[in-house]
Amino acid sequence: MAFAVGGRFLQLDVADASAICLVLFWSTVKVLGAPRVIRYRLLFILAIGSAFSVQTLRAQDLDSVPRDPVPQDDAPLETLPLPLPVQIIEDQATADARARREAEAVEREIRDLAAQEGMNQASQAMNDATQLMACYTLWSTLVGAFGVLLLVWTLRESRRATRAATDMLRLEATPFLSVEIIDGSRVRFKDGRWGKMDGDAFHPEPVTCRIVNGGRSTAVTFRYFRCWDYTCKDGCPDVIDPEAEDEALNKLGVSGRLNDPFHMPVGPQGASPTIATFSEALPAPGPENWVYFYGFLEFAEPSGRLRGRIGFCFVYAPEYKERGFHVAFPENRDKYWYYEELPRVPGSKASKISPISSSRATRP
């Protein structure tokens, strides 16, 4: 946009001309005394129109700028009407150099191929070695796991063997008592009297018994109960309750008796002196009556520690008199032939059984 000011030609940019027009318009409206709201609205509308005009004029100016011509390809060179053969002649040195370079290039390619082949072979060897190592590692792990299992099994078996050996030593060191009738197979009842057979001769004498220690440590019997009972051949003697009171025990059988006091030490692998089992006043067995000799005894260690209680039961059957006194009801381990350790729990009945140092063992 060009203006003539003072005889001089002034050229302004479109944006500058728009700004000058806005200022002139604002001054004219203000001089005319238009309200402020109207002036601001007219100014806003004129500014928007000027902005669009400026953008349009700038786009036209850009389109009017001349662009550089596109460079064209060079015109083809003039060619001769007929082709002429050209022969390049090189000297011997250049030919030798070129042949040498070609030979070196071929040799270099051969070396490169050989190097690549070597690398491939090395990679294959490393891969095979890795697989072999993985296989060895797997087998080593399996063998190690198997060895650990064997070690665990060995330790468990060793522990069981040690426990068994400990139990065996403990059992061997534990006293174990039993009651047996002396020469029970020779005992007979003849002519209204008890005695023993010596060949064909009969010797009247009382039936005796003894306490045998099958263990390897000394035991002391501190409570001994034995009883005689007569019953039919199809019957059973009364069951003894070792936890019952002494008065109740003494009423069992024909001649129940609780030896009180009773203090009988028995050495390892030894036996006690002879013990009489009954008096001569007992009634004789009848043809249908079998005679039972049974009871129990309790023993402890010499230190006073309670150990166990055993039961016993023998029978004399007149119809099998050739057997004498022999074991009765050996299969009945709950009522007649039993062994149990005496509990040491405070307050229990069994714990009230006094050891050899108590008043029961020392009372006259």
Side-chain angles (χ1 to χ4, degrees):
M1 184 177 292
F3 294 93
V5 179
R8 296 184 180 180
F9 186 78
L10 180 61
Q11 186 177 3
L12 297 177
D13 191 7
V14 177
D16 297 336
S18 299
I20 293 172
C21 291
L22 287 175
V23 172
L24 293 175
F25 176 77
W26 177 260
S27 301
T28 303
V29 173
K30 187 175 182 181
V31 171
L32 294 176
R36 180 177 299 178
V37 177
I38 297 176
R39 285 183 296 176
Y40 281 116
R41 289 179 179 179
L42 293 176
L43 181 63
F44 178 74
I45 294 171
L46 184 60
I48 294 298
S50 301
F52 278 107
S53 301
V54 169
Q55 294 295 331
T56 304
L57 292 175
R58 285 184 177 179
Q60 292 177 359
D61 291 341
L62 291 176
D63 291 337
S64 62
V65 174
R67 293 183 175 86
D68 296 333
V70 178
Q72 301 293 329
D73 294 336
D74 296 336
L77 299 177
E78 295 181 358
T79 56
L80 297 175
L82 294 176
L84 298 177
V86 178
Q87 184 178 2
I88 300 175
I89 300 174
E90 56 183 359
D91 55 357
Q92 187 63 32
T94 303
D96 294 341
R98 182 174 57 80
R100 186 168 53 253
R101 286 194 302 271
E102 292 178 354
E104 291 178 354
V106 171
E107 186 178 359
R108 190 181 304 110
E109 291 180 358
I110 293 174
R111 287 198 302 267
D112 292 341
L113 292 176
Q116 293 178 3
E117 184 67 22
M119 290 180 65
N120 292 333
Q121 293 179 358
S123 300
Q124 185 66 28
M126 290 179 64
N127 189 16
D128 296 340
T130 303
Q131 293 181 357
L132 186 61
M133 186 178 297
C135 184
Y136 286 160
T137 303
L138 177 61
W139 282 106
S140 300
T141 304
L142 294 178
V143 172
F146 183 71
V148 171
L149 293 178
L150 287 180
L151 180 60
V152 172
W153 180 79
T154 303
L155 292 177
R156 190 181 68 174
E157 294 299 323
S158 300
R159 184 178 179 182
R160 293 178 59 183
T162 303
R163 185 180 302 172
T166 303
D167 295 341
M168 183 64 67
L169 291 176
R170 182 178 60 83
L171 292 176
E172 289 181 355
T174 300
F176 187 83
L177 302 186
S178 62
V179 177
E180 67 177 22
I181 295 179
I182 300 176
D183 296 331
S185 61
R186 298 196 296 118
V187 174
R188 299 289 187 275
F189 184 81
K190 187 176 182 180
D191 300 331
R193 302 183 65 181
W194 290 96
K196 295 181 180 179
M197 299 297 296
D198 186 6
D200 295 333
F202 175 74
H203 300 281
E205 60 181 76
V207 179
T208 56
C209 66
R210 63 183 176 183
I211 301 172
V212 179
N213 184 4
R216 296 189 178 183
S217 61
T218 303
V220 178
T221 302
F222 62 88
R223 193 168 184 240
Y224 175 42
F225 175 80
R226 75 258 197 251
C227 175
W228 286 89
D229 196 4
Y230 295 86
T231 182
C232 62
K233 61 181 180 180
D234 295 329
C236 299
D238 295 332
V239 179
I240 301 174
D241 182 12
E243 303 293 343
E245 298 297 333
D246 297 351
E247 292 77 7
L249 290 175
N250 289 330
K251 294 178 181 180
L252 288 176
V254 178
S255 64
R257 182 181 179 186
L258 180 67
N259 285 40
D260 188 13
F262 192 86
H263 185 214
M264 182 70 68
V266 183
Q269 303 294 321
S272 68
T274 302
I275 302 174
T277 61
F278 68 99
S279 64
E280 293 290 341
L282 289 177
E288 298 296 332
N289 292 334
W290 290 6
V291 181
Y292 289 93
F293 174 69
Y294 66 108
F296 69 89
L297 63 86
E298 296 173 350
F299 58 94
E301 294 180 354
S303 62
R305 178 185 177 186
L306 302 181
R307 295 302 304 184
R309 176 193 296 138
I310 62 106
F312 60 92
C313 182
F314 298 92
V315 63
Y316 179 83
E319 57 184 276
Y320 303 108
K321 59 182 180 180
E322 67 277 359
R323 299 180 184 177
F325 267 101
H326 58 277
V327 174
F329 310 110
E331 72 283 352
N332 196 329
R333 297 179 296 176
D334 297 331
K335 298 179 180 180
Y336 303 108
W337 291 96
Y338 55 85
Y339 170 77
E340 57 187 6
E341 293 186 358
L342 293 178
R344 292 179 293 275
V345 179
S348 64
K349 280 189 174 182
S351 65
K352 294 179 181 179
I353 300 175
S354 302
I356 60 177
S357 60
S358 67
S359 59
R360 179 187 298 274
T362 58
R363 187 174 60 191

